[in-house]
Amino acid sequence: MSNTTSIAGLAPATAAPPPAWRRHAAALAQYFTRHALPPLVVLSLLVGIWELLCQAPGAALPPPSQVIADTWELITDPFFDNGGNDVGLAWQILASLERVAYGYLLAVIAGVSLGVLVGQSTWALRGLDPLFQVLRTVPPLAWLPISLAGFQDSNPSAIFVIFITAIWPIIINTSVGIRNIPEDYRNVARVIRLNGVEYFWKIMLPAAAPYIFSGLRIGVGLSWLAIIAAEMLIGGVGIGFFIWDAWNASRISDIILALVYVGVVGFLLDRMVAWVGKRVTRGTSPA
């Protein structure tokens, strides 16, 4: 036996690692099987049941196949603009999202500020918490007549409804987070003599961030719910008014399509805030 043969016999051959594209494909397939496939299967079953139940003569709701046929132009051309309120669903959703952005941003600024105040000050907690608990139980649409009377305009009135709806969970969760800051953190801040601004940025916000982002996720969901309801009453361009206008015109398929878009947008808003929360709270605890 030659030296080459003996060396080859002593060192067993190892299989070459798979190429990078194959590893990525396997990871993608595993992710699809675990996360995407289950909801797709459930959704397919529900759509199939819906199709079977609504195919019967005299059914109150159209089946999915008819919804797609009736709304095909809305699906394929979401950015059409014929002037006035006759615009595509993309413009309707963007108009609603613009109102949500203004109202939600104001709620975040005011809610976090008031939450820090209530969490830090016992006097503020005793004075403001009962007021907050009473106001947060008022339904969002109950604020709309007051806001219309005060602003004399539908657009700022809708923004105010979003603001007053989203602010309460942000205040409550922020104040709870501030009150639950470990005493060790406060002691460390005293030892290294942090001033108020340094304590706020280095101790208070990082420690309370998981609670704050829990409130922000609840707030963004409530904001999207509130704008849909408010737009049904104030009119103009917006997905809420589109749904109400479709109801008045007996366009049930348009309503169903709009509801699908509303659900998808609400889901994406929640995931977006959750994604930011995970990045901000990394190293503390999950939001």
Side-chain angles (χ1 to χ4, degrees), residues 101-238:
Y102 286 126
Y104 181 67
L105 180 60
L106 292 174
V108 170
I109 296 172
V112 172
S113 301
L114 289 172
V116 170
L117 174 63
V118 172
Q120 280 287 97
S121 171
T122 303
W123 187 90
L125 174 64
R126 293 172 180 171
L128 294 176
D129 186 66
L131 179 63
F132 293 161
Q133 297 301 329
V134 170
L135 293 179
R136 76 182 184 89
T137 61
V138 178
L141 289 185
W143 294 101
L144 188 58
I146 297 297
S147 61
L148 286 171
F151 292 106
Q152 300 291 317
D153 190 1
S154 60
N155 201 51
S157 299
I159 293 173
F160 175 78
V161 169
I162 297 167
F163 166 81
I164 205 68
T165 302
I167 193 172
W168 309 122
I170 299 175
I171 292 175
I172 293 171
N173 281 272
T174 301
S175 63
V176 171
I178 297 298
R179 290 197 298 271
N180 282 303
I181 294 176
E183 191 61 30
D184 291 344
Y185 291 10
R186 303 180 190 272
N187 294 334
V188 169
R190 296 189 190 100
V191 170
I192 63 178
R193 297 182 180 181
L194 295 179
N195 59 38
V197 176
E198 291 174 334
Y199 175 72
F200 178 78
W201 286 109
K202 296 181 178 181
I203 302 294
M204 187 182 299
L205 278 186
Y211 294 90
I212 294 173
F213 274 93
S214 294
L216 294 181
R217 288 185 67 180
I218 298 172
V220 76
L222 293 177
S223 298
W224 189 237
L225 293 176
I227 190 57
I228 302 303
E231 286 176 346
M232 290 184 177
L233 300 179
I234 64 174
V237 177

Side-chain angles (χ1 to χ4, degrees), residues 205-206 208-213 274 276-287:
L205 278 186
Y211 294 90
I212 294 173
F213 274 93
V276 175
K278 287 181 180 179
R279 296 301 180 273
V280 173
T281 60
R282 183 177 295 171
T284 54
S285 61

